[in-house]
Amino acid sequence: MSLSTREHLVAARSAVQDVIMGGEKGTTVSGSTYPKLSAAPVGQQIHSIYKDRLKGFTSGGQYARNNLMSMMDEGRASGDGHVKLFVYSVPDLARPSFKGATSHDFREAHVGEWFGPSWSTHWFRIHLKVPSALQKKEHLEFHWDANNEGLVWTEDGVPLQGLTGGGDRTEWIFPKEWRDGKEHIFYIEMACNGLFGNANGDIIQPPNPNNTYQLHQADIVAVNLAARALFIDFWIIGDAAREFSDNSWESHEALQIGNAIMDAFVPGNQDSIHEGRRIAQRYLGKQIDSAKVYESGNEPIVYAIGYCHIDNCWLWPWDETKRKVARSWSNQCDLLDRYPEHRFACSQAQQFRYLEDLYPQLFDRVKEKVKQGTFQPIGGSWVEHDTNLPSGESLVRQFLYGQRYFESHFGDRCTTFWLPDTFGYSSQIPQLCRLAGMSRFLTQKLSWNNINKFPHTTFNWVALDGSQVLCHMPPAETYTAEAHFGDVKRSVSQHKSMDQDATSLLVFGKGDGGGGPTFQHLEKLRRCRGMSDTVGLLPRVKMGDSADDFFARLEKKAEEGKKFVTWYGELYFELHRGTYTTQANNKRNNRKSEILMHDIELLGTLATTLDGAKSSYKYPKKDLDELWEKILVCQFHDCLPGSCIEMCYDDTDEFYADIFGRGRKMLEDARSALGFYDLESSESGGITALNTLPWPRSEIVKLPGAASAQKNPEYGLVDATLNVVHVKTLSADVNASHATIKELKTGVYELSNGDLKVTVEHGHITSLVDLRADRDIIPPGSKANQLVIYDDKPLYWQAWDVEVYHLESREALSNGESELVEQGPHRVSLSTSTKISEQSWVKTTISLSASVEGQPSYVEMESEVEWREDKKFLKVEFPVDIMNTEASYETQFGIVRRPTHYNTSWDMAKFEVCCHKWADLSEHGYGVSILNDSKYGFATTGNLMRLSLLRAPKAPDAHADMGRHKIRYAILPHSGPLDHRTVRTAFNFNNPMTLARTSSSSPQSSPLSAIRLTGSPALILDTVKRGEDDEDVSRGQLPKRSGRSVVLRIYESLGGKARGTVETSLPVRKAWWCSLLEDDWEAVEVLDKEGGKEVRVELRGFEVKTLRLQL
């Protein structure tokens, strides 16, 4: 309650007391007008009845002709005399441009017609003539509703405003100049999909391809603005009556005000509308019709920011997203013109690019709003991406490409990382944010946890290396708030960090399928603020600030000594764990494309900086950018996790086909520039192994030439000790190490090399002996490489979720007969078939290569799977004779350790977790690592290690993962602790050396050794690339930098301080530590050494550093 209201009540009560008591206690006032006799009985209100009565004032149904709804408009016009419709129905589900569409013939159309099928487009040309009876009305709109999305265009092709349909955002305010009685023309582009696509049943079901939509409204409407305003007044007052505590004065007063408005209303009487508004102002204040309501001077604690979450793909295909962007952002430009307090936060550089390319006039309008400070780019990333599955370098590129786009187009970088809807957050995000110029982070997804409630709202989130960002999770627990009374109330009632700071962000606007804030949202917030200043109790909300303003205030408090709580490590999301596995081929393509880009950039950098490389070769910056942008968009937080409809993955298959087709050609060009040629080329030189990893590798590789039934494949040894890349044919070397296989009894085989002895019984590994450690890592009676299948029926979100109860349905699959595939002497292999069902099977080949001195041996499994299951989950188990309460998992640029027990609900919640190339369970002195080439889901329970292989959800993609799959994984025993051997072996496993031919037949030094990182084996040289703005590669987005430079990304992989030396034969003049965005931060000394230069480096545990070498 405000001070003025309280003073009024006190004064009123005092006056009554004076009348009753007179000047002296106990005396009667002769002039009192208080009646002596009771006129009639007066009863107490039955609050539940009076509350229910409120619903009838603004509802449809039987009272619609007698309540406020009967006066929402002052007149309508439709039909051929006023609204003529003509349509061009686009064939083949195409989405033509305005020019392309309007060049066709249009036929006559009418309200009541049906249009389809799903995903089709229909362009309407509309001839509008305002009748004389409406020309002088206060406010005219065109109302269009076909229950689907649309976009209004001018006659000459300027996009104006989006339409949502289904009663939501169906209005367009046409120009006042059109009240001249003449005919005016505009267009509406109809998309045959709703805000959430074309679901068949509930929204996540696969889309119905045959939906049709009926056009049921195309009207000129004279809107009764006073009635519309009273509708929203009454909405908020009714919420106060219902949602404030029944015991509060504020709830009682709202109920009285609401009923008084209803009592004052007379159907058909405009004066009663105005009287209702005056009554409402007693509760809401007198400034609610303008932005002045926020200028009371009272301190707010809730800061509202408009936002429009548009999934780049989800329940609709990629191309529809491009139109959703235009529809949604044009709406916001319109609202920014009409509501001066409105501020719109907008993430995802890719969507700005869509607008720039496809809607240049609208993009110019957005740029002007950005310049004015009302349309606010935020987030700093290319898309709102997944953070569990992309590689570390992919996360870097999200920031690099996003920040460079925002800077080059709008003049500023983002300082807040904005990721409200992603399914968990990697433990290295805070570090990468800081390295990309962002110190703040917003999300809210952890409010969806279905086991434990996340305990903080505003806190310091700390990465593996100790870097921190200030994180805020809006306590309204949504990024698509409807700006209701309840959203404002929950912004305080659900705030978990009140001890440190009571302020919060309220992120509001239609989202997921786009749309953004509506005028109703903005009007409701004005009334909420007016209520707070007039009555009190509801937290004060403010508009007009940015999300950055909000975070800046928090940072200032931290600088002044405020101690925000800390959260160390990953923000694990206790839901959507199935997304580590769903859409396996999409995930495989992601990892393979990341590796491909690494190799292209490495070889392309060397080919443009080394003496002796072909001078005609040019670093393919434009092509690299285009491929990276495709990879980054495919890492969107519904796409890469696997939670989109089938049409999205048809599109990503095309994206990846382009990435691999063009990428392999770019790789071949770079190889040729360095003197490496295809094995089929005319070059007569020797065979070379290309090692694109930053350490020497000695391993056995298969030589070209098909093996016959009588002859095993021929193998060669890459001997790194010679510092050459020449491959030695093993068949000519009698001293080479051998691998052997023998059948011990029917169905039981023994595979061995100098390091390991493996017993395989009907396809299961029943013994794996480390010969050097004299230790069997498989517990007696256990079976490793055991395929298991589970029922997989989550509570609702099929593609997203796997629930803990699925573990109770475990079924071990029985194997069929085994057969020898290779019998040595350099590699042995055994193949076993497993029947899953009548439609599904697995063929697994277990292989062991001859041991190589100084290199760890592992047992490799390669599976071919035909998968035709329904809501099943396929995994492979490895019980090991190791005990620890924690297992280790590779994450981006580091390691995450997670419990192997269920001591607490927080531990049990991690029954399925994310890993990258390896997971490890080690005890003092010994451990076991499981490697993979394309999988991300894993679990370690006690001593059981379990790799997730395939799922079979039926929504939103009815055919998710159906078909043929190839999967590689391996088991790597190791003496001693988890260390660089696992890290490097997993890299090697994912990066097989490729063979090439050189012009020389003699061993030679590899140009790939031109840049080396020596010293601590924990240091990883992860990326070698050219500088973004080097004058010979720059594309001109940002100022060019003179000369050539090479950028190195280095990280510490094991969790401790590490020192090393970058050694190079390149002509380095200067060196700097720099940001991920390649801003020079700190000069580093360049030392001379024999044959080149060197730079000494030191990194703390799990630190990521970027070194720029100026040539």
Side-chain angles (χ1 to χ4, degrees), residues 85-91 96-109 115 121-127 187:
L85 304 177
F86 302 87
V87 66
Y88 164 60
S89 295
V90 182
S97 66
F98 176 88
K99 184 177 180 181
T102 55
S103 66
H104 288 83
D105 293 331
F106 283 60
R107 67 165 179 84
E108 229 179 296
F115 298 90
T121 298
H122 305 266
W123 281 81
F124 289 83
R125 187 177 72 241
I126 300 166
H127 298 239
Y187 290 84

Side-chain angles (χ1 to χ4, degrees), residues 914-985:
C914 183
C915 76
H916 280 230
K917 298 184 290 295
W918 58 264
D920 183 87
L921 183 62
S922 291
E923 60 189 23
H924 177 67
Y926 205 87
V928 176
S929 301
I930 304 297
L931 319 178
N932 76 82
D933 79 333
S934 58
K935 297 297 163 189
Y936 296 90
F938 208 93
T940 306
T941 307
N943 69 331
L944 181 65
M945 307 179 76
R946 189 169 53 229
L947 178 66
S948 297
L949 302 179
L950 293 168
R951 297 185 71 225
K954 299 304 173 189
D957 178 0
H959 305 105
D961 284 321
M962 296 299 98
R964 193 66 58 90
H965 299 267
K966 290 190 175 180
I967 306 165
R968 288 174 63 239
Y969 51 95
I971 181 168
L972 169 68
H974 57 83
S975 292
L978 168 65
D979 60 19
H980 69 280
R981 293 168 296 172
T982 290
V983 175
R984 290 187 173 188
T985 304

